[in-house]
Amino acid sequence: MTKKVKYIVLVFFLLFQIKTAYAGSTGSEELKSSSGTSATECFEGVSRAMFKFNHVLDKAIFKPVAKGYRALPQPLRKGTGNAVDNLRSLLTLTNNVLQGDFNRAGVTAARFGINTTVGIFGIFDPATRMGLADNGKEDFGQTLGVWGAESGCYFVLPVLGPTTARDAIGL
């Protein structure tokens, strides 16, 4: 993306951090969540349109691609998934450090090193057989949450699906 598009996207998502929203109201009503931990639906109309768009896109493009991928042999699919997970662990490692969880960061770093070398670029997962359990995935949206950022508004992005303002910035 160009710098101009990046700045526009950043400003767009920062606008979603507004705590009080009057979406579709006359100004007297305030959107309230059913519980203190859930995000408010600030842009329901846009979210519904994006959901429909994603559904059409899923039927037209992603479903046929998924069917084609399922036609590949299981070992090839498993190896591809392992390699992608191995690369993804670099993001998890970074976010473990940013969250101050150095024990999990150490395990993630060890898993990455073992799977990249012994596991041939992550195609195989020898780290699990060596007793280094996968601790799950961490992303920057979770890191922002650990740092105290509220989740913000809930909305649906094209292609990427449902998210909150904090998680969208964390992308």
Side-chain angles (χ1 to χ4, degrees), residues 70 73-74 90 95 107 112 120 128 137 148-150:
R70 273 188 251 128
Q74 175 64 26
L90 290 174
N95 285 294
V107 171
F112 177 76
I120 309 170
T128 300
K137 297 178 174 98
E150 293 185 18

Side-chain angles (χ1 to χ4, degrees), residues 13 17 139-145 150-153 155 157 162-171:
F13 287 121
Q17 285 289 60
D139 61 38
F140 194 63
Q142 292 169 308
T143 300
L144 291 172
E150 293 185 18
S151 64
C153 294
F155 56 97
L157 290 172
T163 189
T164 61
R166 179 184 72 202
D167 289 335
I169 292 170
L171 287 173

